[in-house]
Amino acid sequence: MPRRILFLGPPGAGKGTQAAMLASALAVPHISTGVMLRDAVEAGTDLGREVAGIMEAGDLVSDDLVVAIVDERLAQDDARCGYLLDGFPRNVAQANALDDAVTDAIGTVVLLDVDTDELVGRLLARAQQEGRADDNEETIRRRLEVYHAETAPLIDFYGDVVLTIDGVGSIDDVFSRIALALAR
Ligand code: ADP
């Protein structure tokens, strides 16, 4: 099993859920820049205050900031034998920074594939349940635009190591597809 894995996919594809399940199955840390940034906002740190408005608008926070956060996290002991990255890299500049920062290449990229109508429906439903600040209709549209413009080019960037997984179905079904694809 590869132990340096990256999750890619549009907002609402289920990356966070599936990444957490896979990380625990593989016993590697689940490193989510979205979670780290939201934690900083909630804790009201300098970083949190700097990024809150950007996140609420659905835009990307600066590459320098996230690259620094990820570098620091990857330097921790528990990331030595592998990790699962979720939400980073989100553009080609971040992917190049990751390349420079780590000696071992990303072994596998799991791309969760979900069509746009399904994504919008899921994100609007999550907005009602969890009240995440960036889950309103305007921001959702913006995040999808940003995904297509900035993040989707990473599919070609990673090329051969990308496993495309159908992300529509129950959480367990999607997880089985991922596990099966990784075992091949
Ligand atoms: P999503 O559900 O949209 O995939 P995430 O939880 O991964 O959301 O990220 C939420 C927000 O945090 C993003 O819209 C962006 O503002 C910020 N963010 C997270 N990761 C990054 C990153 N690698 N680079 C820039 N901004 C990021």
Side-chain angles (χ1 to χ4, degrees):
M1 276 282 199
R3 300 178 85 78
R4 265 169 288 271
I5 299 173
L6 197 152
F7 265 63
L8 208 61
K15 291 188 303 289
T17 305
Q18 297 295 334
M21 288 166 74
L22 185 63
S24 103
L26 296 177
V28 295
H30 172 203
I31 301 177
S32 161
T33 45
V35 169
M36 291 190 282
L37 292 169
R38 273 192 294 280
D39 284 350
V41 172
E42 224 162 275
T45 61
D46 287 347
L47 169 70
R49 277 196 296 275
E50 191 173 339
V51 301
I54 301 168
M55 292 176 71
E56 218 161 305
D59 287 318
L60 297 184
V61 311
S62 83
D63 293 340
D64 288 350
L65 259 175
V66 279
V67 167
I69 295 173
V70 171
D71 275 356
E72 195 183 313
R73 182 63 188 86
L74 290 178
Q76 287 171 29
D77 266 0
D78 64 344
R80 259 201 312 225
C81 297
Y83 43 80
L84 200 159
L85 286 170
D86 162 15
F88 177 95
R90 229 180 182 86
N91 58 31
V92 171
Q94 292 179 15
N96 281 317
L98 177 64
D99 260 358
D100 293 341
V102 296
T103 44
D104 304 291
I106 293 295
T108 309
V109 175
V110 174
L111 170 65
L112 283 181
D113 187 32
V114 176
D115 70 71
T116 304
D117 286 349
E118 169 83 14
L119 292 172
V120 174
R122 287 184 188 183
L123 290 165
L124 287 172
R126 185 169 78 186
Q128 287 183 338
Q129 286 155 16
E130 296 176 19
R132 231 177 81 168
D134 61 352
D135 276 347
N136 63 74
E137 199 164 349
E138 197 187 327
T139 305
I140 288 169
R141 219 174 299 123
R142 177 70 192 139
R143 280 154 63 207
L144 287 168
E145 272 171 27
V146 169
Y147 173 77
H148 287 295
E150 301 273 330
T151 311
L154 292 178
I155 299 168
D156 284 338
F157 181 95
Y158 286 108
D160 288 349
V161 297
V162 176
L163 298 174
T164 302
I165 307 291
D166 176 5
V168 180
S170 73
I171 289 176
D172 288 340
D173 283 347
V174 175
F175 185 71
S176 301
R177 287 176 203 145
I178 294 171
L180 205 71
L182 286 174
R184 282 211 186 101

